[in-house]
PDB file of all heavy atoms in Angstrom:
ATOM      1  N   CYS A   1      90.484 104.314 106.646  1.00 97.00           N
ATOM      2  CA  CYS A   1      90.939 102.982 106.244  1.00 97.00           C
ATOM      3  C   CYS A   1      90.148 101.859 106.927  1.00 97.00           C
ATOM      4  O   CYS A   1      89.692 100.927 106.250  1.00 97.00           O
ATOM      5  CB  CYS A   1      92.440 102.846 106.506  1.00 97.00           C
ATOM      6  SG  CYS A   1      93.164 101.342 105.826  1.00 97.00           S
ATOM      7  N   PRO A   2      89.946 101.890 108.263  1.00 97.00           N
ATOM      8  CA  PRO A   2      89.117 100.841 108.870  1.00 97.00           C
ATOM      9  C   PRO A   2      87.689 100.810 108.327  1.00 97.00           C
ATOM     10  O   PRO A   2      87.133  99.726 108.093  1.00 97.00           O
ATOM     11  CB  PRO A   2      89.123 101.214 110.362  1.00 97.00           C
ATOM     12  CG  PRO A   2      90.396 101.951 110.552  1.00 97.00           C
ATOM     13  CD  PRO A   2      90.575 102.738 109.287  1.00 97.00           C
ATOM     14  N   LEU A   3      87.094 101.984 108.112  1.00 97.00           N
ATOM     15  CA  LEU A   3      85.744 102.011 107.535  1.00 97.00           C
ATOM     16  C   LEU A   3      85.736 101.426 106.128  1.00 97.00           C
ATOM     17  O   LEU A   3      84.814 100.697 105.739  1.00 97.00           O
ATOM     18  CB  LEU A   3      85.216 103.448 107.510  1.00 97.00           C
ATOM     19  CG  LEU A   3      84.854 104.072 108.864  1.00 97.00           C
ATOM     20  CD1 LEU A   3      84.490 105.545 108.686  1.00 97.00           C
ATOM     21  CD2 LEU A   3      83.710 103.311 109.525  1.00 97.00           C
ATOM     22  N   GLY A   4      86.774 101.767 105.338  1.00 97.00           N
ATOM     23  CA  GLY A   4      86.868 101.211 103.989  1.00 97.00           C
ATOM     24  C   GLY A   4      87.042  99.707 104.013  1.00 97.00           C
ATOM     25  O   GLY A   4      86.452  98.984 103.182  1.00 97.00           O
ATOM     26  N   LEU A   5      87.856  99.212 104.948  1.00 97.00           N
ATOM     27  CA  LEU A   5      88.039  97.758 105.070  1.00 97.00           C
ATOM     28  C   LEU A   5      86.722  97.069 105.396  1.00 97.00           C
ATOM     29  O   LEU A   5      86.386  96.033 104.803  1.00 97.00           O
ATOM     30  CB  LEU A   5      89.067  97.465 106.163  1.00 97.00           C
ATOM     31  CG  LEU A   5      89.272  95.984 106.510  1.00 97.00           C
ATOM     32  CD1 LEU A   5      89.793  95.219 105.301  1.00 97.00           C
ATOM     33  CD2 LEU A   5      90.226  95.837 107.700  1.00 97.00           C
ATOM     34  N   TRP A   6      85.956  97.654 106.331  1.00 96.00           N
ATOM     35  CA  TRP A   6      84.667  97.048 106.652  1.00 96.00           C
ATOM     36  C   TRP A   6      83.730  97.110 105.439  1.00 96.00           C
ATOM     37  O   TRP A   6      82.967  96.171 105.196  1.00 96.00           O
ATOM     38  CB  TRP A   6      84.015  97.712 107.857  1.00 96.00           C
ATOM     39  CG  TRP A   6      82.670  97.093 108.128  1.00 96.00           C
ATOM     40  CD1 TRP A   6      81.451  97.649 107.933  1.00 96.00           C
ATOM     41  CD2 TRP A   6      82.444  95.751 108.564  1.00 96.00           C
ATOM     42  NE1 TRP A   6      80.450  96.755 108.233  1.00 96.00           N
ATOM     43  CE2 TRP A   6      81.039  95.566 108.622  1.00 96.00           C
ATOM     44  CE3 TRP A   6      83.276  94.690 108.905  1.00 96.00           C
ATOM     45  CZ2 TRP A   6      80.462  94.364 109.025  1.00 96.00           C
ATOM     46  CZ3 TRP A   6      82.700  93.482 109.309  1.00 96.00           C
ATOM     47  CH2 TRP A   6      81.307  93.326 109.359  1.00 96.00           C
ATOM     48  N   GLY A   7      83.799  98.191 104.678  1.00 96.00           N
ATOM     49  CA  GLY A   7      82.972  98.280 103.479  1.00 96.00           C
ATOM     50  C   GLY A   7      83.301  97.184 102.478  1.00 96.00           C
ATOM     51  O   GLY A   7      82.400  96.606 101.849  1.00 96.00           O
ATOM     52  N   VAL A   8      84.584  96.888 102.319  1.00 96.00           N
ATOM     53  CA  VAL A   8      84.995  95.796 101.418  1.00 96.00           C
ATOM     54  C   VAL A   8      84.425  94.469 101.915  1.00 96.00           C
ATOM     55  O   VAL A   8      83.900  93.660 101.127  1.00 96.00           O
ATOM     56  CB  VAL A   8      86.536  95.735 101.306  1.00 96.00           C
ATOM     57  CG1 VAL A   8      86.979  94.468 100.587  1.00 96.00           C
ATOM     58  CG2 VAL A   8      87.070  96.966 100.583  1.00 96.00           C
ATOM     59  N   ILE A   9      84.535  94.231 103.232  1.00 95.00           N
ATOM     60  CA  ILE A   9      84.018  92.976 103.805  1.00 95.00           C
ATOM     61  C   ILE A   9      82.501  92.897 103.668  1.00 95.00           C
ATOM     62  O   ILE A   9      81.938  91.865 103.273  1.00 95.00           O
ATOM     63  CB  ILE A   9      84.442  92.864 105.279  1.00 95.00           C
ATOM     64  CG1 ILE A   9      85.965  92.728 105.392  1.00 95.00           C
ATOM     65  CG2 ILE A   9      83.751  91.680 105.953  1.00 95.00           C
ATOM     66  CD1 ILE A   9      86.486  92.829 106.808  1.00 95.00           C
ATOM     67  N   ALA A  10      81.824  93.992 103.980  1.00 95.00           N
ATOM     68  CA  ALA A  10      80.354  93.991 103.987  1.00 95.00           C
ATOM     69  C   ALA A  10      79.766  93.825 102.592  1.00 95.00           C
ATOM     70  O   ALA A  10      78.641  93.325 102.443  1.00 95.00           O
ATOM     71  CB  ALA A  10      79.847  95.287 104.620  1.00 95.00           C
ATOM     72  N   THR A  11      80.498  94.246 101.561  1.00 95.00           N
ATOM     73  CA  THR A  11      79.965  94.178 100.185  1.00 95.00           C
ATOM     74  C   THR A  11      80.600  93.045  99.393  1.00 95.00           C
ATOM     75  O   THR A  11      80.491  93.005  98.162  1.00 95.00           O
ATOM     76  CB  THR A  11      80.217  95.511  99.459  1.00 95.00           C
ATOM     77  OG1 THR A  11      81.631  95.776  99.409  1.00 95.00           O
ATOM     78  CG2 THR A  11      79.524  96.665 100.161  1.00 95.00           C
ATOM     79  N   ARG A  12      81.248  92.100 100.080  1.00 93.00           N
ATOM     80  CA  ARG A  12      81.996  91.049  99.373  1.00 93.00           C
ATOM     81  C   ARG A  12      81.113  90.168  98.495  1.00 93.00           C
ATOM     82  O   ARG A  12      81.600  89.577  97.524  1.00 93.00           O
ATOM     83  CB  ARG A  12      82.761  90.192 100.377  1.00 93.00           C
ATOM     84  CG  ARG A  12      81.882  89.398 101.329  1.00 93.00           C
ATOM     85  CD  ARG A  12      82.695  88.782 102.463  1.00 93.00           C
ATOM     86  NE  ARG A  12      81.885  87.977 103.373  1.00 93.00           N
ATOM     87  CZ  ARG A  12      81.133  88.472 104.336  1.00 93.00           C
ATOM     88  NH1 ARG A  12      81.075  89.786 104.515  1.00 93.00           N
ATOM     89  NH2 ARG A  12      80.431  87.676 105.132  1.00 93.00           N
ATOM     90  N   GLN A  13      79.831  90.052  98.831  1.00 91.00           N
ATOM     91  CA  GLN A  13      78.946  89.217  98.016  1.00 91.00           C
ATOM     92  C   GLN A  13      78.743  89.796  96.621  1.00 91.00           C
ATOM     93  O   GLN A  13      78.311  89.083  95.710  1.00 91.00           O
ATOM     94  CB  GLN A  13      77.595  89.040  98.720  1.00 91.00           C
ATOM     95  CG  GLN A  13      77.710  88.210 100.006  1.00 91.00           C
ATOM     96  CD  GLN A  13      76.366  88.022 100.692  1.00 91.00           C
ATOM     97  OE1 GLN A  13      75.414  88.766 100.428  1.00 91.00           O
ATOM     98  NE2 GLN A  13      76.282  87.025 101.562  1.00 91.00           N
ATOM     99  N   ARG A  14      79.084  91.083  96.447  1.00 91.00           N
ATOM    100  CA  ARG A  14      78.946  91.717  95.130  1.00 91.00           C
ATOM    101  C   ARG A  14      80.297  91.784  94.408  1.00 91.00           C
ATOM    102  O   ARG A  14      80.530  92.650  93.577  1.00 91.00           O
ATOM    103  CB  ARG A  14      78.376  93.133  95.298  1.00 91.00           C
ATOM    104  CG  ARG A  14      77.011  93.145  95.979  1.00 91.00           C
ATOM    105  CD  ARG A  14      76.407  94.543  96.006  1.00 91.00           C
ATOM    106  NE  ARG A  14      76.160  95.034  94.671  1.00 91.00           N
ATOM    107  CZ  ARG A  14      76.692  96.147  94.157  1.00 91.00           C
ATOM    108  NH1 ARG A  14      77.558  96.854  94.876  1.00 91.00           N
ATOM    109  NH2 ARG A  14      76.403  96.530  92.935  1.00 91.00           N
ATOM    110  N   TRP A  15      81.186  90.837  94.696  1.00 90.00           N
ATOM    111  CA  TRP A  15      82.546  90.887  94.157  1.00 90.00           C
ATOM    112  C   TRP A  15      82.563  90.854  92.637  1.00 90.00           C
ATOM    113  O   TRP A  15      83.467  91.411  92.006  1.00 90.00           O
ATOM    114  CB  TRP A  15      83.380  89.735  94.721  1.00 90.00           C
ATOM    115  CG  TRP A  15      82.959  88.366  94.239  1.00 90.00           C
ATOM    116  CD1 TRP A  15      82.069  87.535  94.825  1.00 90.00           C
ATOM    117  CD2 TRP A  15      83.419  87.706  93.055  1.00 90.00           C
ATOM    118  NE1 TRP A  15      81.920  86.386  94.099  1.00 90.00           N
ATOM    119  CE2 TRP A  15      82.749  86.459  92.996  1.00 90.00           C
ATOM    120  CE3 TRP A  15      84.315  88.023  92.038  1.00 90.00           C
ATOM    121  CZ2 TRP A  15      82.953  85.541  91.968  1.00 90.00           C
ATOM    122  CZ3 TRP A  15      84.526  87.118  91.010  1.00 90.00           C
ATOM    123  CH2 TRP A  15      83.857  85.893  90.975  1.00 90.00           C
ATOM    124  N   GLN A  16      81.573  90.202  92.014  1.00 88.00           N
ATOM    125  CA  GLN A  16      81.563  90.129  90.550  1.00 88.00           C
ATOM    126  C   GLN A  16      81.349  91.504  89.915  1.00 88.00           C
ATOM    127  O   GLN A  16      81.747  91.736  88.781  1.00 88.00           O
ATOM    128  CB  GLN A  16      80.469  89.158  90.083  1.00 88.00           C
ATOM    129  CG  GLN A  16      80.800  87.705  90.410  1.00 88.00           C
ATOM    130  CD  GLN A  16      79.705  86.756  89.971  1.00 88.00           C
ATOM    131  OE1 GLN A  16      78.513  86.990  90.233  1.00 88.00           O
ATOM    132  NE2 GLN A  16      80.076  85.681  89.304  1.00 88.00           N
ATOM    133  N   VAL A  17      80.717  92.409  90.666  1.00 90.00           N
ATOM    134  CA  VAL A  17      80.517  93.780  90.194  1.00 90.00           C
ATOM    135  C   VAL A  17      81.698  94.662  90.582  1.00 90.00           C
ATOM    136  O   VAL A  17      82.070  95.581  89.848  1.00 90.00           O
ATOM    137  CB  VAL A  17      79.201  94.358  90.768  1.00 90.00           C
ATOM    138  CG1 VAL A  17      79.039  95.824  90.383  1.00 90.00           C
ATOM    139  CG2 VAL A  17      78.008  93.541  90.299  1.00 90.00           C
ATOM    140  N   LEU A  18      82.310  94.342  91.720  1.00 94.00           N
ATOM    141  CA  LEU A  18      83.297  95.248  92.323  1.00 94.00           C
ATOM    142  C   LEU A  18      84.750  94.830  92.120  1.00 94.00           C
ATOM    143  O   LEU A  18      85.648  95.505  92.618  1.00 94.00           O
ATOM    144  CB  LEU A  18      83.023  95.362  93.833  1.00 94.00           C
ATOM    145  CG  LEU A  18      81.659  95.926  94.239  1.00 94.00           C
ATOM    146  CD1 LEU A  18      81.462  95.791  95.741  1.00 94.00           C
ATOM    147  CD2 LEU A  18      81.540  97.388  93.819  1.00 94.00           C
ATOM    148  N   TRP A  19      85.017  93.744  91.394  1.00 93.00           N
ATOM    149  CA  TRP A  19      86.391  93.243  91.380  1.00 93.00           C
ATOM    150  C   TRP A  19      87.370  94.210  90.717  1.00 93.00           C
ATOM    151  O   TRP A  19      88.559  94.230  91.063  1.00 93.00           O
ATOM    152  CB  TRP A  19      86.473  91.840  90.774  1.00 93.00           C
ATOM    153  CG  TRP A  19      86.164  91.690  89.313  1.00 93.00           C
ATOM    154  CD1 TRP A  19      84.956  91.428  88.770  1.00 93.00           C
ATOM    155  CD2 TRP A  19      87.100  91.738  88.226  1.00 93.00           C
ATOM    156  NE1 TRP A  19      85.049  91.314  87.403  1.00 93.00           N
ATOM    157  CE2 TRP A  19      86.366  91.494  87.042  1.00 93.00           C
ATOM    158  CE3 TRP A  19      88.467  91.950  88.117  1.00 93.00           C
ATOM    159  CZ2 TRP A  19      86.952  91.472  85.787  1.00 93.00           C
ATOM    160  CZ3 TRP A  19      89.051  91.921  86.855  1.00 93.00           C
ATOM    161  CH2 TRP A  19      88.305  91.692  85.715  1.00 93.00           C
ATOM    162  N   LEU A  20      86.902  95.044  89.797  1.00 94.00           N
ATOM    163  CA  LEU A  20      87.811  96.049  89.243  1.00 94.00           C
ATOM    164  C   LEU A  20      88.249  97.021  90.334  1.00 94.00           C
ATOM    165  O   LEU A  20      89.439  97.365  90.428  1.00 94.00           O
ATOM    166  CB  LEU A  20      87.136  96.822  88.105  1.00 94.00           C
ATOM    167  CG  LEU A  20      87.974  98.001  87.566  1.00 94.00           C
ATOM    168  CD1 LEU A  20      89.266  97.514  86.923  1.00 94.00           C
ATOM    169  CD2 LEU A  20      87.174  98.838  86.585  1.00 94.00           C
ATOM    170  N   GLN A  21      87.306  97.451  91.176  1.00 95.00           N
ATOM    171  CA  GLN A  21      87.652  98.373  92.254  1.00 95.00           C
ATOM    172  C   GLN A  21      88.640  97.725  93.233  1.00 95.00           C
ATOM    173  O   GLN A  21      89.563  98.387  93.721  1.00 95.00           O
ATOM    174  CB  GLN A  21      86.389  98.822  93.002  1.00 95.00           C
ATOM    175  CG  GLN A  21      85.578  99.888  92.297  1.00 95.00           C
ATOM    176  CD  GLN A  21      84.913  99.381  91.010  1.00 95.00           C
ATOM    177  OE1 GLN A  21      84.495  98.213  90.933  1.00 95.00           O
ATOM    178  NE2 GLN A  21      84.815 100.247  90.022  1.00 95.00           N
ATOM    179  N   TYR A  22      88.464  96.410  93.492  1.00 95.00           N
ATOM    180  CA  TYR A  22      89.420  95.710  94.341  1.00 95.00           C
ATOM    181  C   TYR A  22      90.823  95.749  93.732  1.00 95.00           C
ATOM    182  O   TYR A  22      91.812  96.024  94.424  1.00 95.00           O
ATOM    183  CB  TYR A  22      89.012  94.237  94.524  1.00 95.00           C
ATOM    184  CG  TYR A  22      87.702  93.996  95.209  1.00 95.00           C
ATOM    185  CD1 TYR A  22      86.983  92.824  94.966  1.00 95.00           C
ATOM    186  CD2 TYR A  22      87.156  94.914  96.111  1.00 95.00           C
ATOM    187  CE1 TYR A  22      85.767  92.560  95.592  1.00 95.00           C
ATOM    188  CE2 TYR A  22      85.939  94.670  96.738  1.00 95.00           C
ATOM    189  CZ  TYR A  22      85.253  93.501  96.468  1.00 95.00           C
ATOM    190  OH  TYR A  22      84.056  93.250  97.085  1.00 95.00           O
ATOM    191  N   LEU A  23      90.904  95.458  92.435  1.00 95.00           N
ATOM    192  CA  LEU A  23      92.208  95.423  91.769  1.00 95.00           C
ATOM    193  C   LEU A  23      92.853  96.806  91.722  1.00 95.00           C
ATOM    194  O   LEU A  23      94.073  96.936  91.907  1.00 95.00           O
ATOM    195  CB  LEU A  23      92.063  94.857  90.355  1.00 95.00           C
ATOM    196  CG  LEU A  23      91.832  93.347  90.251  1.00 95.00           C
ATOM    197  CD1 LEU A  23      91.658  92.940  88.800  1.00 95.00           C
ATOM    198  CD2 LEU A  23      92.982  92.566  90.884  1.00 95.00           C
ATOM    199  N   LEU A  24      92.058  97.826  91.439  1.00 96.00           N
ATOM    200  CA  LEU A  24      92.601  99.189  91.431  1.00 96.00           C
ATOM    201  C   LEU A  24      93.176  99.545  92.793  1.00 96.00           C
ATOM    202  O   LEU A  24      94.278 100.110  92.901  1.00 96.00           O
ATOM    203  CB  LEU A  24      91.512 100.196  91.040  1.00 96.00           C
ATOM    204  CG  LEU A  24      90.958 100.112  89.615  1.00 96.00           C
ATOM    205  CD1 LEU A  24      89.828 101.125  89.435  1.00 96.00           C
ATOM    206  CD2 LEU A  24      92.051 100.348  88.572  1.00 96.00           C
ATOM    207  N   LEU A  25      92.450  99.208  93.841  1.00 96.00           N
ATOM    208  CA  LEU A  25      92.876  99.537  95.195  1.00 96.00           C
ATOM    209  C   LEU A  25      94.144  98.774  95.586  1.00 96.00           C
ATOM    210  O   LEU A  25      95.130  99.360  96.058  1.00 96.00           O
ATOM    211  CB  LEU A  25      91.739  99.218  96.171  1.00 96.00           C
ATOM    212  CG  LEU A  25      91.963  99.544  97.642  1.00 96.00           C
ATOM    213  CD1 LEU A  25      92.261 101.010  97.845  1.00 96.00           C
ATOM    214  CD2 LEU A  25      90.729  99.129  98.450  1.00 96.00           C
ATOM    215  N   LEU A  26      94.150  97.464  95.365  1.00 95.00           N
ATOM    216  CA  LEU A  26      95.295  96.643  95.751  1.00 95.00           C
ATOM    217  C   LEU A  26      96.541  96.999  94.956  1.00 95.00           C
ATOM    218  O   LEU A  26      97.652  97.048  95.501  1.00 95.00           O
ATOM    219  CB  LEU A  26      94.963  95.158  95.588  1.00 95.00           C
ATOM    220  CG  LEU A  26      93.944  94.588  96.580  1.00 95.00           C
ATOM    221  CD1 LEU A  26      93.572  93.155  96.202  1.00 95.00           C
ATOM    222  CD2 LEU A  26      94.494  94.632  98.003  1.00 95.00           C
ATOM    223  N   SER A  27      96.386  97.233  93.655  1.00 94.00           N
ATOM    224  CA  SER A  27      97.553  97.554  92.828  1.00 94.00           C
ATOM    225  C   SER A  27      98.120  98.926  93.187  1.00 94.00           C
ATOM    226  O   SER A  27      99.344  99.125  93.156  1.00 94.00           O
ATOM    227  CB  SER A  27      97.197  97.490  91.335  1.00 94.00           C
ATOM    228  OG  SER A  27      96.129  98.373  91.021  1.00 94.00           O
ATOM    229  N   MET A  28      97.270  99.878  93.577  1.00 95.00           N
ATOM    230  CA  MET A  28      97.783 101.183  93.983  1.00 95.00           C
ATOM    231  C   MET A  28      98.523 101.086  95.314  1.00 95.00           C
ATOM    232  O   MET A  28      99.584 101.705  95.499  1.00 95.00           O
ATOM    233  CB  MET A  28      96.639 102.197  94.077  1.00 95.00           C
ATOM    234  CG  MET A  28      97.086 103.609  94.459  1.00 95.00           C
ATOM    235  SD  MET A  28      98.414 104.303  93.436  1.00 95.00           S
ATOM    236  CE  MET A  28      97.612 104.417  91.831  1.00 95.00           C
ATOM    237  N   ILE A  29      97.995 100.303  96.255  1.00 95.00           N
ATOM    238  CA  ILE A  29      98.711 100.090  97.510  1.00 95.00           C
ATOM    239  C   ILE A  29     100.071  99.465  97.243  1.00 95.00           C
ATOM    240  O   ILE A  29     101.101  99.890  97.789  1.00 95.00           O
ATOM    241  CB  ILE A  29      97.881  99.196  98.459  1.00 95.00           C
ATOM    242  CG1 ILE A  29      96.632  99.948  98.930  1.00 95.00           C
ATOM    243  CG2 ILE A  29      98.716  98.747  99.657  1.00 95.00           C
ATOM    244  CD1 ILE A  29      95.662  99.092  99.720  1.00 95.00           C
ATOM    245  N   ALA A  30     100.108  98.458  96.368  1.00 93.00           N
ATOM    246  CA  ALA A  30     101.375  97.796  96.023  1.00 93.00           C
ATOM    247  C   ALA A  30     102.343  98.772  95.370  1.00 93.00           C
ATOM    248  O   ALA A  30     103.551  98.758  95.665  1.00 93.00           O
ATOM    249  CB  ALA A  30     101.106  96.609  95.096  1.00 93.00           C
ATOM    250  N   ALA A  31     101.837  99.641  94.507  1.00 91.00           N
ATOM    251  CA  ALA A  31     102.700 100.611  93.824  1.00 91.00           C
ATOM    252  C   ALA A  31     103.343 101.573  94.810  1.00 91.00           C
ATOM    253  O   ALA A  31     104.514 101.939  94.659  1.00 91.00           O
ATOM    254  CB  ALA A  31     101.889 101.381  92.778  1.00 91.00           C
ATOM    255  N   VAL A  32     102.588 101.984  95.822  1.00 92.00           N
ATOM    256  CA  VAL A  32     103.136 102.896  96.821  1.00 92.00           C
ATOM    257  C   VAL A  32     104.169 102.178  97.688  1.00 92.00           C
ATOM    258  O   VAL A  32     105.261 102.683  97.944  1.00 92.00           O
ATOM    259  CB  VAL A  32     102.015 103.493  97.695  1.00 92.00           C
ATOM    260  CG1 VAL A  32     102.586 104.385  98.783  1.00 92.00           C
ATOM    261  CG2 VAL A  32     101.046 104.295  96.828  1.00 92.00           C
ATOM    262  N   VAL A  33     103.840 100.964  98.123  1.00 93.00           N
ATOM    263  CA  VAL A  33     104.744 100.201  98.985  1.00 93.00           C
ATOM    264  C   VAL A  33     106.052  99.875  98.264  1.00 93.00           C
ATOM    265  O   VAL A  33     107.132  99.905  98.863  1.00 93.00           O
ATOM    266  CB  VAL A  33     104.056  98.914  99.478  1.00 93.00           C
ATOM    267  CG1 VAL A  33     105.054  97.985 100.166  1.00 93.00           C
ATOM    268  CG2 VAL A  33     102.920  99.252 100.436  1.00 93.00           C
ATOM    269  N   LEU A  34     105.993  99.582  96.987  1.00 91.00           N
ATOM    270  CA  LEU A  34     107.188  99.200  96.244  1.00 91.00           C
ATOM    271  C   LEU A  34     108.173 100.351  96.068  1.00 91.00           C
ATOM    272  O   LEU A  34     109.354 100.112  95.825  1.00 91.00           O
ATOM    273  CB  LEU A  34     106.803  98.648  94.867  1.00 91.00           C
ATOM    274  CG  LEU A  34     106.385  97.182  94.838  1.00 91.00           C
ATOM    275  CD1 LEU A  34     105.810  96.820  93.479  1.00 91.00           C
ATOM    276  CD2 LEU A  34     107.551  96.265  95.191  1.00 91.00           C
ATOM    277  N   PHE A  35     107.705 101.574  96.193  1.00 89.00           N
ATOM    278  CA  PHE A  35     108.601 102.721  96.037  1.00 89.00           C
ATOM    279  C   PHE A  35     108.833 103.351  97.423  1.00 89.00           C
ATOM    280  O   PHE A  35     109.556 102.811  98.228  1.00 89.00           O
ATOM    281  CB  PHE A  35     108.037 103.695  95.008  1.00 89.00           C
ATOM    282  CG  PHE A  35     108.133 103.152  93.598  1.00 89.00           C
ATOM    283  CD1 PHE A  35     107.188 102.267  93.099  1.00 89.00           C
ATOM    284  CD2 PHE A  35     109.202 103.503  92.789  1.00 89.00           C
ATOM    285  CE1 PHE A  35     107.308 101.751  91.812  1.00 89.00           C
ATOM    286  CE2 PHE A  35     109.333 102.994  91.501  1.00 89.00           C
ATOM    287  CZ  PHE A  35     108.377 102.115  91.017  1.00 89.00           C
ATOM    288  N   PHE A  36     108.276 104.505  97.703  1.00 87.00           N
ATOM    289  CA  PHE A  36     108.436 105.102  99.033  1.00 87.00           C
ATOM    290  C   PHE A  36     107.155 105.842  99.392  1.00 87.00           C
ATOM    291  O   PHE A  36     106.319 106.123  98.537  1.00 87.00           O
ATOM    292  CB  PHE A  36     109.658 106.024  99.112  1.00 87.00           C
ATOM    293  CG  PHE A  36     109.745 107.047  98.007  1.00 87.00           C
ATOM    294  CD1 PHE A  36     109.068 108.248  98.097  1.00 87.00           C
ATOM    295  CD2 PHE A  36     110.519 106.807  96.880  1.00 87.00           C
ATOM    296  CE1 PHE A  36     109.146 109.191  97.089  1.00 87.00           C
ATOM    297  CE2 PHE A  36     110.612 107.749  95.860  1.00 87.00           C
ATOM    298  CZ  PHE A  36     109.925 108.941  95.963  1.00 87.00           C
TER     299      PHE A  36
END
């Protein structure tokens, strides 16, 4: 998780290419948190 977080930060300038991956990741985290 820390390595992945740094990867997100380090590649942020390519957000126009990667924004789907950001949304997939954030929505899956939210889905897990909302249940158990």
